[in-house]
Amino acid sequence: MPRSAAAAAVAGPTVAIDIGGTKIAGALVHPDGAMTALTRRPTPRGTDADGVMAAVAEVVADLARDPLWAQAVRCGIGSAGPVDTSRGTVSPVNIGAWREFPVQERTAAELAARGARIPVVLAGDGVAMTAAEHWLGAARGHANALCMVVSTGVGGGLILNNQLHPGPTGNAGHIGHISVAFDGERCVCGGHGCVESLASGTAIARWALAQGWTGPDPTAAGVAASAAAGDPVALAAFDRAGRALAAAIAATATLVETDIAVIGGGVAASGDTLFAPVRRHLASYAALSFVKDLQVVPAALGTHAGLIGAAAAAMMLLPTA
């Protein structure tokens, strides 16, 4: 455990809240990573901003019923982005009712209303995943790491000198929008040739279909199944994605000297179908002596990584709470 997290951990449990497009979850996360009082609500659809916040309030209310609630010393919120941690606001792509929503302030008010006047910190989901993997997962013991989520989008975060490095607005390490093809197609962010436009699950499926792939499941998982069976178009789709990821990982490592890249998310569940081309292409991009031994490994934490990450981010960013 990094020194700052270790110092924070001795004080008591951390309230963790994980906000995504399908669920809003909560737990009390303890110094050893154990979780109690686990609860969740579906993310409301077809409602306004307050309607979504009501689900967060219900999660907080559930946690407040736990006997250990009074011992909580800090709260971490991990949220789908974009986020602006300098203002405590979120505008999740998959929660249309929230645009520049002050989730940090509103959550702090809910906590205080239930007797928990504790500091609250906001982290994007990629940064939270990074904190989780460094604390208890595949990046544990590495002082400098890049962790990333490859799913419908591509996000990530950085550990530098054993410290979480979220940047001024909480978006540092957002590897999905590094350009790896200067004449590539326009990305949804407005740039060109971004990693996300080449390597996300959506991009993999879109490219395979455009190349004539006709599998029964028109998703990245379907393309992965076809690739595992030897379909040449499906294999090419994952090779293309792996090359984009390798270029971005090598560029990041060259810039800040990370020595490990941890990849999680739905696309990473395809295993060697993704990791084999990433590692193969990495050999040609990470050529300098100080990055040639760079490791690429799958994320170690599963279902509850978001909650562990929200807590880990709070422990690292609020060490004196």
Side-chain angles (χ1 to χ4, degrees):
M1 189 186 298
R3 185 179 305 153
S4 60
V10 299
T14 298
V15 177
I17 298 174
D18 178 26
I19 299 172
T22 60
K23 74 174 189 315
I24 298 170
L28 296 180
V29 180
H30 299 273
D32 61 355
M35 292 187 291
T36 58
L38 281 162
T39 185
R40 62 186 289 172
R41 294 289 189 280
T43 303
R45 299 289 182 186
T47 186
D48 60 9
D50 286 338
V52 178
M53 186 62 209
V56 177
E58 290 173 7
V59 165
V60 172
D62 286 348
L63 298 178
R65 297 185 186 100
D66 189 271
L68 297 177
W69 173 256
Q71 299 177 28
V73 294
R74 67 185 72 77
C75 173
I77 305 167
S79 176
V83 303
D84 184 343
T85 58
S86 67
R87 300 171 58 215
T89 61
V90 297
S91 303
V93 172
N94 49 10
I95 305 178
W98 278 5
R99 289 295 172 267
E100 298 186 1
F101 184 76
V103 67
Q104 183 171 327
E105 178 184 352
R106 293 286 298 272
T107 301
E110 292 293 336
L111 294 167
R114 290 166 176 80
R117 297 184 180 278
I118 54 179
V120 180
V121 71
L122 170 65
D125 50 7
V127 171
M129 176 264 192
T130 299
E133 290 292 333
H134 188 242
W135 181 24
L136 297 173
R140 188 172 187 173
H142 290 266
N144 301 286
L146 166 69
C147 299
M148 52 198 304
V149 179
V150 183
S151 187
T152 53
V154 177
L158 289 167
I159 296 289
L160 300 177
N161 296 323
N162 273 324
Q163 298 297 317
L164 190 63
H165 181 73
T169 66
N171 293 289
H174 201 335
I175 193 169
H177 295 288
I178 288 178
S179 177
V180 292
F182 72 88
D183 57 351
E185 64 181 81
R186 183 172 289 278
C187 177
V188 293
C189 75
H192 287 273
C194 293
V195 175
E196 185 171 300
S197 69
L198 296 164
S200 69
T202 306
I204 290 169
R206 183 177 64 245
W207 188 87
L209 289 165
Q211 301 305 308
W213 176 73
T214 56
D217 177 10
T219 67
V223 179
S226 291
D231 182 278
V233 174
L235 285 167
F238 271 87
D239 185 76
R240 179 175 182 262
R243 184 177 182 183
L245 291 169
I249 290 168
T252 302
T254 302
L255 186 66
V256 296
E257 288 198 63
T258 52
D259 59 14
I260 190 170
V262 177
I263 306 178
V267 177
S270 61
D272 280 347
T273 300
L274 177 69
F275 283 91
V278 171
R279 290 169 178 147
R280 183 173 64 252
H281 287 295
L282 189 64
S284 64
Y285 286 108
L288 291 168
S289 60
F290 62 92
V291 293
K292 65 182 180 63
D293 294 327
L294 177 64
Q295 300 177 57
V296 177
V297 300
L301 302 175
T303 306
H304 299 307
L307 286 169
I308 294 172
M315 291 165 65
M316 296 180 81
L317 298 173
L318 298 170
T320 58

